[in-house]
């Protein structure tokens, strides 16, 4: 008779270990990193493994909630700001940033997204478009997570075609009045400041503004029933005659495209890396499960159909990480344009999506439960495949460079 | 300035309609049905469209909860019991059952699963393995949904290899004492009776027992953090010296395999049909969305990359429904064995999974929100692909018939 | 020591047979046919099996040559002309035509193409666009294969965009003078008559003309180095002031689109069917091989990775044939437009291409040799996927009907 | 009227050039090479571009013939022998070898295979298993292509399971007598020496022997009807009491596995690289064609469906080359075992096969003609995917290392 003390939900685990637990060892991908990158990775891995609370993450995911504990975890990784130099920011290289993003994605893609939106979008926008005073005002506190940021570009009717945005900024004495809808804005339900992009009614140029929590005429609504990156709090909001003082107008960037382009290039690369990280996490969990679990008196990992899937996922994983590392190198050397980044983002997210589905599948019924580590990345990759430029849009961005022909319309 | 009354979460809809809204019309698949099947389908469609409450479904999905409202909706479709004849059951043909299952899946796969577990597994087991008295005692009330049923075969350590199950039944005066673990049992958190399969300690034969709510030594635990079919309540439970009276021993089936085989054959076919239904629903929603939404001043459906994906999904949908219809015909003529059903189930769920991902993708960011009708079927298909025999296991069942060679171990 | 009499090229065959040799039996697809269709299929199967000479076919393929023996084999199947009624033609239904085409494709896709070009394109064009006298002049002899036909629509610069064709027809006393290039014209190196489509210099309307072997100003060149359908003789030719008498102007069709549309609809459906036939043939051969061959002391078919691929191919095969049968029914009932046919053609060729690759793969090294029955269909499907409307073009034709939006340019 | 001087087979070319012709530039993959590797690559590219005779290659392919002109071309690349040090061989690093193999595959996969069999299999075997005298006897002349080599391991009944080989070697005074069948042996119809692996009837150990052209009891038969790597001459042969003098027994290797393992490791990596090269060549040709060709008044490359396929192929290409480069680095550092090589070979050939199919497809009808540069690599990849360990076998080799579980039987 079974011991009643056993909680019924745990299938027996043989405790069998795979011969090679760490997939990054297989082709020694770590050896491709510089000493600095490697130690950054090791440190991030250690902090995140120590700080990881899967129970909490799964509960937050279940309830689609964010928690300040995630901010605390982020803090353990050091100051926010990624590549920003000065103002208390770490001034990472692009390669270092991507190495870090792999680790973030490996832990949890929602966490990675929160991290990216704050550092890679909100802070980075202030850094490229803000005056020295604006940077000094916001960046140090953001680096210390005293202020959390968001980035408001997308609108209900302007997603892939974001530069067609319709939110307006009307110059008034002492500041600007903003009107419009924004959609999908991550962190915006709880954050302190949002970089909002709006069209100057006078010049038609797109300009950046920092909207602060509690300003009149602005109230975010959480997007409900979101089935991907559930821990990320995405908001819709209407800006209704929302007054923003002149000091909050990010006036240093001359053109939207210049600065924002740089921000989006870097963040898009980070998204590619976090997708590779998702796959890394899912693969590790799937492999471990298939070693551990027995059916028909054999470990799952010994069935040809299971083993081939695991190896296919490993091949995809390696190729994804190689692509990400190469991308970082190119960016650091100033050799990558948006086209290279777009192709890498599209290719890696597509490849990761395919491979994580293989990982999910070999875990069988348990594969649909967050605790077993493969379904969350699978769901999350749906958003990741789509945001920062959908797969198709990124392919067409790359194609435009290669062919010289624009195929968007 | 935008009207503040507009809820920010709704992107503008052009209201543009596709020229051909109903995918079943494309190859007039309805025309392949008999008049009876067609009217059954139309009736089911009408009832489900009238009774559908997407808001409720999405909320339940969000909270991973079941609702009695779903039982009420099921009632609208007429008595439960599918193919069972007599005892107040509808006595459908297999083809009719599959036609109905497509409609159930089109509405919601969790609803379809609830329906199937109750009618196609619990009731069907009592019907094949129960004595006339047992049938008369339970089936009429189950047909009227006064009693809800569940089906307990799988164990934590025996999934694909279910016939290796370890739960025991020890004969004692006046009944049997059950001991063991069960896992994944749908409806089991709230249902009234569960058909439990256990191994007779004396003969080693697998026997069926009806465990009733509140019996001592039995208490189900809901499986948490489940990211697929979230409305279905799956439970783990330990049976700890649980006494079941002799009257609850389903003693009419001579061998486990006989009766259960028939039950599983029919239910596996139903699962194939519900997967096709999932795709049907997702395709309709994706098509409608891509007609409705504009980017770059063009409806999404007019972009080649979007249009090709929609048509690929339509091709997959048609092939899936043709496969399901053919399967029903064969089963009604007594020509299909488990092998045919297994291949159809594996093929259709694989095809639907691939096609629903295309549907999800073309909806862009909104594709990850339940309200837009594609992410829920995508997540649900992960479970459907895996339960009632995983994809691989079903392929090997088919392969065994075709080749005469068993490749399971 | 090995017997020197053994030819070295034959691996040992165990002679093991699969339990279920005929894939059409698996879901009893024959039972879906009418008695007439079934007996037509059986007769075609018998004739083709008796007449089949794989050695010859493989040699012709190797040398990229056609042989009159293929015309003789075609004759065994009865008069040419497929659906044409009268003039000695068989007057088949569309469904019968597709059933026949499956068998043709199963034998050899080049043979099927030869058959289709003669009957389904050349004869069918004369039938829809010719006057009664013209029909009586050519069709009876074509039905008896005394004259072989070809169909000249495509031009070097007008493939997918065939209706943009630039070949001109200038009215002169007693006839017309043709000028232009044609490309890809099957059978044209040896055939007796070619239906050539050209643009009337006066009206700009596209008109049909029968160009006869040996006419001045016309000389076909065989397209060399063709790696698909190698037995089909495709030709390029220049029409250089080629005079065609008025009697050879197919003057009964009022508009190009009317008649040709009907011809192309029917022939496109035939292509879908022949692709399903290719897969049928490849699957049978692959299954047989994997039963027969042993590695590591086990039949290949007993390895999970091999067995799953075979079953995947079988699932694809069944779905393809179901799609083809459904298409035939719809066309016979006048319910299918080009859109339905286009989707079926695109979907079936894509599916067959994917499945035949699986069949090729499990045959290992021998899979690249024609004698083993899988590489030829694999290569042939590349052409089939592309001709009669490429995959993409057919998807966009279907999409245009469904969405009401043309996405061609 | 068209000029009759125009050969009809050439569609008009707009001469439009893609903005970025060289795919290796996209992510500057050359920059990852050392100066030496880069100059080796540039030299190889130059020699092969200057020496390339596509007309000849296509004719040989068409007729399935080899030509001494290919030996001459090989000579232009410098002495044969790849990694062998001494005896007139170049002593390349593994990375250099792979860089060269990419260029060979880019030109023509049959040429690459000829090259590999001679240098990477025949010479390499003599190098690892031969005595210093044997090396001195054969290697210098092979390095100068005065003698061409082959490698005879596979047998009709022992392919994936090659180490089960049944060919026997019986010790007799002054030498050995060989009996058995060999199959698939590349170059063997015309070459001067073949390294044959056979089982010592006394010890059962597998030993290597150099069989020379014209020896009694040995006569190769060309394998006909081969539809992949058609320029490579693969032979079957029976060894019938074939006497080989003791001097031709490669007696330096103690165990088959040791030496041969090293040979096969290196050659398997070369195969992966040549597959990436195939894709490189196909992509370049497809891109160029899609720039050049117009339909519906637009360059093919401007259609979304075409452009996305090209970019997908580019993504696959980059990932393949990154994988190959990484593999070379690991091997040079002595860090890769057969498992890493096996996964890279399986992954790259699978990826290349998928991507070359995309390249073939966008070229439309012309895509099936060798002259247009995509169908040959597509056909060739079928063999490449299968030889040097089939895809599945290589995946299971990798899986065995990772999981510690052998899943072969
Ligand atoms: C979880 C999540 C978080 C996000 N966070 C933020 C954030 O913090 N800040 C912010 O500003 N935005 C954010 N976004 C918005 C995101 O950037 C957009 O979702 C993305 O740009 C796609 O836009 P869309 O959703 O409107 O899709 P659409 O543009 O409507 O695309 C729908 C489909 O049409 C296709 N399509 C569109 N245009 C073309 C074309 N020209 N040719 C071919 N196909 C086309 C797409 O590829 C896609 O398949 C977030 C989105 C998500 C899902
Ligand atoms: C949502 C849901 C509802 C369910 N409802 C019920 C219910 O109501 N009642 C009930 O009794 N059960 C139920 N089940 C259980 C279901 O039947 C099992 O999940 C299913 O049989 C698979 O078993 P498993 O999850 O243990 O996977 P495993 O058997 O552990 O399989 C894991 C992986 O290994 C593979 N594998 C296993 N064996 C082999 C082999 N021999 N060769 C190759 N590969 C192999 C599988 O294909 C899979 O990829 C439900 C499951 C789910 C997910
Ligand atoms: C073996 C063979 C036999 C044939 N026999 C005959 C015959 O007997 N008689 C005859 O008249 N013709 C024949 N054809 C010609 C055949 O009909 C054409 O090859 C076919 O229509 C495709 O045209 P194309 O080859 O010019 O490709 P292209 O039109 O150049 O297409 C190239 C690529 O561009 C894509 N493309 C083209 N337009 C678009 C668009 N608007 N949007 C997106 N993508 C696009 C295509 O999908 C394809 O991927 C034959 C062809 C072959 C290969
Ligand atoms: C063009 C070409 C050139 C070649 N050149 C040479 C040469 O020069 N010298 C030489 O010695 N050899 C040569 N070979 C032989 C080559 O190495 C073999 O073809 C290869 O090893 C596969 O063996 P096979 O063809 O017998 O396939 P098989 O071993 O019969 O395999 C058939 C199928 O069964 C699968 N399979 C086999 N075993 C298992 C298993 N345990 N589990 C799951 N699936 C399994 C395979 O993956 C494959 O799908 C050449 C082959 C080709 C095609």
């Amino acid at each position: 008779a079974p011991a009643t003390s056993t909680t019924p939900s745990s299938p027996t685990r043989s405790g069998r270990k795979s011969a090679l637990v760490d997939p990054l060892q297989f082709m020694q991908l770590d050896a491709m990193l510089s000493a600095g990158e490697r130690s950054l990775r090791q440190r991030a891995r250690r902090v995140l493994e120590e700080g990881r609370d899967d129970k909490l993450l799964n509960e937050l995911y279940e309830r689609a909630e964010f928690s300040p504990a995630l901010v605390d975890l982020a803090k353990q990784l050091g100051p926010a700001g990624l590549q920003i130099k000065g103002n208390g920011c770490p001034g990472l290289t692009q390669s270092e940033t991507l190495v870090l993003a792999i680790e973030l994605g490996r832990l949890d893609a929602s966490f990675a997204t929160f991290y990216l939106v704050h550092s890679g979008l909100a802070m980075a926008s202030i850094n490229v478009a803000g005056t020295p005073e604006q940077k000094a005002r916001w960046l140090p506190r953001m680096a210390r997570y005293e202020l959390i940021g968001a980035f408001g570009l997308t609108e209900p009717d302007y997603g892939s075609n974001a530069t067609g945005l319709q939110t307006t900024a009307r110059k008034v004495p002492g500041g600007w009045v903003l009107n419009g809808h924004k959609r999908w804005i991550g962190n915006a339900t709880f954050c302190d400041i949002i970089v909002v992009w709006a069209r100057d009614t006078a010049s038609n140029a797109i300009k950046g503004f920092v909207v602060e929590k509690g300003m009149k005429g602005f109230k975010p609504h959480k997007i409900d029933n979101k089935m991907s990156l559930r821990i990320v709090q995405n908001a819709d909001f209407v800006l209704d005659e929302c007054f923003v003082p002149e000091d909050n107008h990010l006036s240093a960037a001359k053109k939207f495209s210049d600065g924002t382009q740089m921000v989006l290039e870097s963040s898009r690369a980070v998204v590619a890396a976090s997708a590779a990280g998702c796959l890394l996490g899912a693969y590790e969990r799937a492999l471990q499960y298939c070693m551990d679990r027995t059916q028909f008196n054999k470990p799952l990992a010994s069935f040809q159909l299971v083993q081939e899937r695991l190896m296919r996922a490993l091949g995809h994983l390696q190729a994804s990480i190689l692509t990400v590392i190469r991308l970082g190198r190119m960016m650091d050397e100033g050799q990558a344009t948006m086209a290279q980044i777009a192709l890498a983002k599209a290719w890696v997210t597509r490849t990761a999506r395919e491979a994580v589905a293989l990982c999910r599948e070999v875990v069988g019924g348990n594969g649909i439960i967050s605790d077993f580590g493969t379904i969350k990345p699978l769901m999350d990759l749906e958003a990741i495949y789509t945001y920062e430029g959908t797969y198709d849009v990124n392919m067409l961005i790359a194609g435009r460079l290669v062919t010289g022909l624009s195929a968007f319309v």
Side-chain angles (χ1 to χ4, degrees), chain A:
Chain A
T4 47
S5 59
T6 311
T7 95
S9 54
S10 19
T12 306
R13 312 197 132 200
S14 68
R16 196 184 296 106
K17 281 271 173 333
S18 74
L20 192 74
V21 175
D22 182 359
L24 299 183
Q25 263 181 40
F26 193 75
M27 289 191 89
Q28 306 196 317
L29 300 179
D30 244 25
M32 299 179 72
L33 304 183
S34 70
E37 290 157 1
R38 198 153 48 234
S39 81
L40 180 145
R41 191 178 90 71
Q42 282 157 357
R43 203 179 144 268
R45 173 72 63 102
R46 192 170 8 89
V47 167
L48 294 175
E49 283 300 304
E50 281 169 11
R52 98 182 280 153
D53 181 348
D54 281 331
K55 199 162 169 305
L56 173 69
L57 284 173
N58 292 335
E59 273 172 30
L60 294 175
Y61 206 83
E62 181 62 31
R63 300 198 307 261
E65 285 174 11
F66 187 74
S67 156
L70 300 181
V71 180
D72 290 339
L73 182 56
K75 276 184 205 163
Q76 305 299 316
L77 290 164
L82 296 169
Q83 293 154 269
I84 302 171
K85 290 189 212 319
N87 282 307
C89 296
L92 303 182
T93 64
Q94 184 69 44
S95 293
E96 288 167 339
T97 301
L98 299 186
V99 164
L100 176 59
I102 293 174
E103 293 300 316
L104 298 175
R106 177 179 174 276
L107 177 73
D108 180 74
S110 294
F111 178 67
T113 301
F114 154 74
Y115 199 99
L116 169 66
V117 166
H118 174 66
S119 284
L121 290 172
M123 291 177 74
S125 295
I126 293 172
N127 191 54
V128 299
T131 60
E133 296 70 33
Q134 289 173 324
K135 296 191 206 186
R137 175 173 160 209
W138 286 304
L139 292 181
R141 297 181 61 202
M142 293 179 87
R144 294 191 302 269
Y145 294 97
E146 292 164 17
L147 295 177
I148 303 291
F151 177 83
L153 176 62
T154 304
E155 302 186 355
D157 294 337
Y158 295 84
S160 293
N161 186 14
T163 51
L165 62 85
Q166 298 293 318
T167 296
T168 55
R170 202 174 68 239
K171 187 75 189 98
V172 292
W176 300 76
V177 171
L178 307 183
N179 276 294
H181 284 196
K182 289 287 168 183
R183 182 163 170 78
W184 282 118
I185 314 309
N187 300 354
T189 55
F190 64 88
C191 72
D192 304 285
I193 62 176
I194 308 180
V195 176
V196 167
W197 302 95
R199 200 174 283 285
D200 183 343
T201 50
S203 67
N204 213 30
I206 296 174
K207 299 191 159 150
F209 302 88
V210 173
V211 173
E212 298 178 57
K213 185 150 68 177
M215 278 181 167
K216 243 189 93 185
F218 151 75
K219 199 175 157 346
H221 302 263
K222 178 180 162 188
I223 299 183
D224 288 323
N225 298 335
K226 189 166 56 94
M227 291 295 146
S228 179
L229 299 176
R230 285 169 63 82
I231 298 175
V232 176
Q233 305 294 301
N234 288 96
D236 270 1
F237 54 81
V238 173
L239 292 158
D240 181 18
E241 291 288 311
C242 174
F243 174 80
V244 173
E246 182 58 41
D247 280 357
N248 285 20
H249 167 213
L250 298 171
S251 54
K254 291 297 147 249
K255 279 197 298 178
F256 169 69
S257 52
D258 289 352
T260 317
Q261 187 76 359
M262 265 186 55
V263 170
L264 291 179
E265 281 182 6
S266 176
S267 64
R268 195 155 296 185
V270 168
V271 170
S274 74
C278 274
L279 170 52
L280 173 58
Y283 169 82
E284 288 177 8
R285 298 294 299 275
L287 173 61
Q288 178 187 320
Y289 186 85
C290 293
M291 292 305 302
D292 233 12
R293 177 165 175 87
T294 298
Q295 285 290 288
F296 300 96
N297 297 318
K298 294 177 63 173
L300 297 183
S302 72
F303 293 119
Q304 288 194 342
L305 288 167
V306 170
Q307 196 171 107
E308 189 276 332
R309 280 184 177 83
L310 288 171
M311 288 306 100
R312 207 181 329 151
L314 178 57
H316 282 25
L317 170 60
Q318 291 182 161
S320 297
I321 289 187
L322 288 169
T323 301
V324 167
I325 293 177
R326 180 70 201 133
L327 183 65
R329 295 277 173 263
M330 283 190 81
M331 292 175 77
D332 280 328
E333 292 161 13
Q335 301 285 2
T337 66
M338 188 52 119
Q340 279 81 12
I341 299 164
L343 182 56
K345 193 269 179 180
W347 193 87
V348 171
T349 54
R350 183 182 199 274
T351 300
R353 192 186 186 222
E354 195 179 312
V356 171
L358 299 171
C359 296
R360 205 296 302 153
E361 171 176 357
V362 293
V363 181
N366 286 331
I368 65 169
I369 301 185
S370 306
D371 309 63
F372 291 88
T374 58
I375 186 74
K376 202 149 56 71
L378 185 65
M379 292 164 65
D380 290 344
L381 276 166
E382 291 301 315
I384 297 175
Y385 181 81
T386 290
Y387 71 19
E388 282 278 356
T390 66
Y391 172 81
D392 283 341
V393 163
N394 279 313
M395 292 303 260
L396 299 181
I397 289 173
R400 185 176 49 192
L401 177 78
V402 170
T403 65
L405 300 165
S406 169
F408 287 92
V409 283

